[in-house]
Amino acid sequence: MTATRSPGGSVFLVEDEVMIRMMVADMLEELGYRVAAEAGEIGEAMKLAQSAEFDLAILDVNVNGKVISPVADLIKARNRPFIFATGYGSSGLPEEYRDRPALQKPFPIETLAKAIDTVLASHAA
C-alpha cells in the first residue's frame, strides 16, 4: 500500500459483466478499498450515482450497449473523481470525457492501483 492511498476509501463500481465486476471488487478489496455500491445497468447506476456515498467511481464505458455518460455527468456534478474501464481503448470513451483516465480491460491489479492513486492525488490537489 502506498502513502497516497486513503485507508477505508470507498468505491462505486459500474460494470455489466458480473464476473468482471466481482474480479474488480476483489482487486479493490485487496488494495484496501471498500465497494460502497455497485451496479450492472444504467438506471440503477444513475440512482446510485446520485445517492451513494463514495470516494471514487470506476465506470464501465459500455453498459449493456448503453454509454455511461449520464452516470459520469452525475458523478462529475457531485465533484467525485472517476476512472473509466473500457475494452475499446481511449477512442471508446465518450467524447466529452476523453481527458479522463481510462483503464484498458483486462487490467492487472497494479494498473488499477496506479490509476486510483493518480486520480485521488490529482483530485485532492
Side-chain angles (χ1 to χ4, degrees):
M1 224 185 273
T2 65
T4 59
R5 194 168 294 129
S6 60
S10 59
V11 178
F12 173 37
L13 178 58
V14 180
E15 169 62 59
D16 59 348
E17 295 288 336
V18 175
M19 294 305 290
I20 294 173
R21 191 165 69 232
M22 290 171 56
M23 181 187 70
V24 174
D26 287 345
M27 287 193 285
L28 289 166
E29 289 174 13
E30 189 174 326
L31 292 170
Y33 291 92
R34 176 178 60 83
V35 176
E38 55 184 87
E41 59 93 17
I42 293 286
E44 181 184 10
M46 289 186 66
K47 289 177 193 163
L48 290 168
Q50 294 175 70
S51 63
E53 287 303 318
F54 55 89
D55 300 312
L56 166 78
I58 298 175
L59 308 174
D60 183 7
V61 171
N62 183 330
V63 181
N64 294 319
K66 296 180 181 169
V67 70
I68 197 72
S69 294
V71 178
D73 293 343
L74 291 170
I75 294 169
K76 180 181 175 186
R78 290 183 66 189
N79 195 31
R80 298 284 200 290
F82 56 91
I83 300 168
F84 289 110
T86 179
Y88 304 104
S90 60
S91 63
L93 294 180
E95 194 170 323
E96 66 273 27
Y97 290 114
R98 295 243 166 102
D99 62 333
R100 296 288 179 143
L103 293 164
Q104 176 68 41
K105 292 194 274 186
F107 48 84
I109 191 169
E110 297 82 11
T111 303
L112 176 61
K114 184 176 180 182
I116 291 172
D117 286 346
T118 301
V119 167
L120 289 179
S122 65
H123 187 72

